[in-house]
């Protein structure tokens, strides 16, 4: 055994770009102070998501010296895992959980910069079941995440559903997906162009052969509300939080020799090194388990343990295939656009839009082609990219021929380049690092069910409610992708 160590304008419309109340570890703010922070919300919303401005003091306290489980990443997936770990503990403080988040303002967090959608219309049964379980959780959210003396959680859930449109070229895929969704128990209906026009008189059905509409458990909600609800509840249950950055790990190594004579190194993390913001100070946190829920940066966290840095023809040479992909969301105003019952529409061109509040406002976006992926070293918006979106919008909804772009913002997908699906479970050579990442745009909507599954895997030794073994790292090792055909 040996030991070692590895070291445009961003839009601001309708996004909550600053962290609400700050808490020092388990100190819980009282209701009066909470209300004072709420008063900052309007001012905070005017701050650009990419800026460092925040009306809240940053937590400069060091993390605890020891934790049973360190969760790297304080987005909605990380906080969901923290909540479910505490929910499953047998005695109070039986599991000491620390969540480390590098962005105290959450101004660049993927969670709060997303479109906030939830849908059951996936092609894989695992993703459909994750959506159904998460939707059930959100429907009964105050049974799970209410906190004594705090206001009830209001996700501002809009149940208008998702509407997917298919051309003749892909209609057969929509029919196959529909069969899978119905078999899994999802409430989805197929619409002919005539039925589609009856439901949505404002739509141009040119080129549409088939449409698929979610009848329940679909729509959109406020991402910040879900993140903060998980966070507040988890902290009230005893979870520690720290604003800092995990910069490396200390670990032990056991070397074994295979029957063929090859040497294989098995590593076990002993300490996570947490660098404090704007400081040279760092705290080594002794831990038994590390959960890599760092989203778009989870690939870099994995590299800190040498994952992907070994010889290419070995397991240690296989990287965690997750990288940031920048996506733009544009806020447009169209006073004569579709009304209050407008669904979250996804055109076969790849363009999507949904209503945003009242008063003729909508958000729209589209994923770029692979060769057009933008740089990911900042969150600046390419305003010219909207010119690729507008023709499709105007073609599908003639009223959108006259619209005005009010603002825009950018956010990162934790994009799994291997098969665009989540990676859930333990790494085979680092037996106390668990992954919960690579969800490629649907981590937010699946976060309640992902958190529960991870807690089961860690504390029970296996999945109990939903079998997510198909999402393990093993498929990357064996080069067997499980492709999701409904990526937006």
């Amino acid at each position: 055994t040996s030991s070692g160590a590895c070291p445009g304008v961003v839009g601001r419309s309708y996004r909550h770009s600053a962290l609400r109340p700050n808490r020092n570890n388990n100190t819980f703010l009282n209701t009066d102070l909470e209300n004072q922070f709420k008063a900052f919300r309007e001012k905070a919303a005017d701050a650009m998501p990419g800026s460092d401005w925040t009306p809240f003091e940053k937590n400069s306290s060091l993390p605890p010296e020891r934790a049973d489980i360190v969760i790297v990443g304080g987005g909605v997936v990380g906080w969901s895992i923290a909540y479910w770990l505490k929910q499953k503990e047998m005695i109070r403080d039986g599991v000491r959980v620390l969540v480390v988040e590098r962005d105290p303002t959450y101004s660049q967090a993927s969670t709060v910069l997303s479109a906030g959608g939830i849908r059951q219309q996936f092609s894989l049964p695992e993703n459909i079941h994750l959506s159904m379980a998460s939707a059930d959780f959100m429907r009964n959210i105050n049974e799970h995440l209410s906190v004594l003396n705090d206001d009830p959680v209001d996700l501002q859930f809009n149940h208008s559903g998702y509407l997917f449109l298919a051309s003749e070229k892909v209609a057969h895929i929509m029919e196959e997906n529909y069969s899978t969704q119905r078999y899994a128990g999802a409430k989805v209906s197929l619409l002919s162009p005539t039925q589609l026009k009856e439901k949505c008189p404002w739509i141009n059905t040119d080129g549409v052969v088939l449409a698929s509409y979610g009848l329940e458990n679909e729509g959109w909600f406020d991402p910040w509300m879900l993140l903060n609800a998980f966070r507040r509840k988890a902290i009230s249950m005893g979870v520690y939080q720290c604003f800092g950055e995990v910069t490396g790990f200390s670990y032990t190594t056991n070397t074994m020799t295979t029957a063929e004579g090859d040497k294989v190194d098995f590593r076990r993390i002993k300490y996570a090194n947490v660098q404090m913001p704007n400081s040279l100070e760092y705290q080594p946190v002794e831990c038994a388990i590390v959960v890599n829920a760092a989203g778009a940066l989870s690939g870099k966290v994995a590299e800190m343990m040498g994952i992907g840095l070994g010889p290419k023809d070995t397991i240690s040479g296989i990287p965690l295939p997750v990288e940031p992909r920048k996506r733009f969301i544009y806020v447009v105003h169209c006073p004569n656009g579709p009304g209050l019952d407008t669904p979250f529409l996804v055109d076969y061109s790849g363009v999507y839009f949904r209503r945003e509040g009242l008063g003729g406002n909508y958000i729209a976006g589209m994923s770029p082609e692979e060769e057009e992926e933008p740089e990911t070293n900042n969150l600046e918006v390419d305003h010219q990219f909207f010119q690729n979106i507008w023709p499709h919008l105007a073609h599908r909804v003639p009223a959108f021929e006259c619209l005005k772009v009010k603002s825009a913002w950018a956010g990162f997908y934790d994009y799994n380049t291997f098969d665009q699906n989540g990676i859930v479970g333990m790494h085979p050579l680092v037996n106390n690092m668990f992954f919960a990442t690579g969800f490629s745009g649907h981590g937010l909507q699946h976060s309640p069910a992902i958190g529960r599954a991870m807690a089961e895997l860690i504390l029970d030794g296996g999945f109990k409610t939903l079998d997510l073994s198909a999402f393990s790292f093993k498929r990357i090792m064996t080069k067997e992708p499980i492709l999701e055909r409904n990526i937006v």
Side-chain angles (χ1 to χ4, degrees):
T1 303
S2 62
S3 63
C6 285
V9 178
V10 178
R12 58 180 184 270
S13 183
Y14 316 117
R15 297 296 89 184
H16 309 302
S17 61
L19 180 62
R20 275 174 85 189
N22 184 27
R23 296 173 171 82
N24 293 325
N25 293 336
N26 295 339
T27 303
F28 206 73
L29 294 177
N30 60 37
T31 303
D32 290 340
L33 188 56
E34 181 82 20
N35 290 334
Q36 292 179 38
F37 278 115
K38 288 180 180 178
F40 285 126
R41 286 288 293 280
E42 183 175 350
K43 182 177 180 181
D46 288 333
M48 295 189 296
S51 76
D52 292 326
W53 182 88
T54 172
F56 311 108
E57 293 183 4
K58 297 181 180 180
N59 181 356
S60 59
S61 64
L62 291 172
E65 294 182 357
R66 183 192 63 79
D68 296 308
I69 302 170
V70 172
I71 299 172
V72 185
V76 69
V77 171
W79 279 110
S80 174
I81 295 169
Y83 160 75
W84 282 107
L85 286 169
K86 299 300 284 186
Q87 184 71 19
K88 289 181 66 65
E89 68 180 358
M90 301 301 293
I91 58 174
R92 174 78 181 190
D93 295 328
V95 181
R96 191 178 177 106
V97 180
L98 168 67
V99 177
V100 182
E101 169 56 40
R102 68 194 294 269
D103 179 10
T105 67
Y106 280 81
S107 62
Q108 300 186 36
S110 297
T111 298
V112 298
L113 295 173
S114 72
I118 181 170
R119 57 188 168 99
Q120 301 167 105
Q121 296 183 68
F122 288 94
S123 65
L124 289 177
E126 289 85 357
N127 284 330
I128 299 168
H129 287 299
L130 282 169
S131 289
M132 293 173 66
S134 294
D136 180 71
F137 182 93
M138 292 185 203
R139 254 198 327 269
N140 303 289
I141 194 164
N142 281 292
E143 295 179 13
H144 302 285
L145 301 185
S146 63
V147 174
L148 186 66
N149 295 327
D150 267 18
D151 294 335
V153 179
D154 179 9
L155 295 182
Q156 301 176 23
F157 202 124
N158 186 302
H159 296 269
S160 294
Y162 266 69
L163 179 64
F164 282 84
L165 308 182
S167 63
E168 185 173 1
K169 182 178 179 181
V170 296
H172 68 285
I173 296 177
M174 178 173 283
E175 290 175 330
E176 293 170 5
N177 291 347
Y178 169 78
S179 298
T180 302
Q181 293 153 12
R182 294 288 293 181
Y183 185 79
K187 300 295 190 295
V188 183
S189 67
L190 292 180
L191 304 175
S192 68
T194 301
Q195 292 170 319
L196 175 61
K197 188 70 174 179
E198 291 174 356
K199 177 175 177 54
C200 305
W202 41 264
I203 201 168
N204 172 19
T205 60
D206 180 44
V208 177
V209 172
L210 194 63
S212 176
Y213 177 64
L215 300 173
E216 67 177 28
N217 295 332
E218 292 194 344
W220 57 92
F221 58 92
D222 189 324
W224 168 257
M225 292 297 184
L226 182 61
L227 166 63
N228 205 35
F230 269 125
R231 176 178 163 271
R232 291 166 63 183
K233 181 63 174 181
I235 290 174
S236 77
M237 298 169 77
V239 173
Y240 291 81
Q241 73 166 346
C242 169
F243 294 120
E245 183 173 2
V246 173
T247 57
F249 301 97
S250 298
Y251 56 85
T252 59
T253 301
N254 288 316
T255 301
M256 300 182 65
T257 304
T258 66
E260 293 76 22
D262 297 324
K263 294 185 182 302
V264 180
D265 290 337
F266 292 89
R267 293 174 175 172
R268 184 170 183 84
I269 298 169
K270 303 295 286 185
Y271 294 90
N273 297 323
V274 181
Q275 183 85 34
M276 306 314 296
N278 305 315
S279 171
L280 296 177
E281 188 177 21
Y282 81 92
Q283 172 73 49
V285 180
E286 184 180 4
C287 56
I289 289 173
V290 170
V291 179
N292 185 347
L297 298 177
S298 56
K300 293 186 178 298
V301 174
E303 286 182 359
M304 295 176 192
M305 280 303 299
I307 295 172
L309 302 181
K312 289 188 177 181
D313 58 345
T314 65
I315 296 175
S316 63
I318 301 172
L320 181 68
V322 179
E323 64 184 32
R325 293 284 180 97
K326 187 160 68 172
R327 298 291 179 262
F328 307 121
I329 297 179
Y330 302 87
V331 181
V332 302
H333 179 67
C334 179
N336 298 318
L340 294 179
D341 59 349
T342 303
F344 197 128
L345 187 146
V346 183
D347 190 54
Y348 58 76
S349 64
V351 167
Y352 68 83
F353 79 89
R354 69 161 173 83
R355 184 170 53 80
E356 174 75 348
L358 305 174
N361 295 315
Y362 307 84
I363 65 171
M366 179 176 69
S367 293
E369 296 294 333
E370 186 75 22
E371 62 274 10
E372 297 177 346
E373 285 288 347
E375 295 292 327
T376 57
N377 57 356
N378 59 59
L379 279 175
E380 293 180 2
V381 174
D382 180 358
H383 291 275
Q384 280 298 115
F385 186 73
F386 185 73
Q387 299 305 316
N388 298 333
I389 297 174
W390 190 12
H392 297 289
L393 281 177
H395 173 73
R396 190 57 61 210
V397 182
F400 283 157
E401 291 180 3
C402 297
L403 58 75
K404 180 180 180 180
V405 178
K406 295 181 64 176
S407 62
W409 73 86
F412 292 129
Y413 274 9
D414 56 336
Y415 192 83
N416 178 355
T417 59
F418 183 69
D419 61 10
Q420 294 80 61
N421 270 304
I423 301 171
V424 179
M426 191 172 65
H427 190 272
L429 298 184
V430 186
N431 63 8
N432 63 342
M433 175 174 274
F434 288 79
F435 297 130
T437 186
F439 300 105
S440 305
H442 45 267
L444 169 68
Q445 61 184 291
H446 289 166
S447 58
I450 289 293
R452 182 180 63 182
M454 287 296 297
E456 292 170 352
L457 189 60
I458 292 170
L459 298 182
D460 300 330
F463 300 116
K464 300 296 183 182
T465 50
L466 292 177
D467 184 2
L468 301 183
S469 55
F471 291 155
S472 74
F473 193 84
K474 180 181 177 181
R475 77 184 193 273
I476 299 165
M477 294 165 46
T478 57
K479 299 181 180 179
E480 297 176 312
I482 50 170
L483 294 173
E484 170 57 57
R485 297 190 288 189
N486 264 16
I487 294 293
V488 177

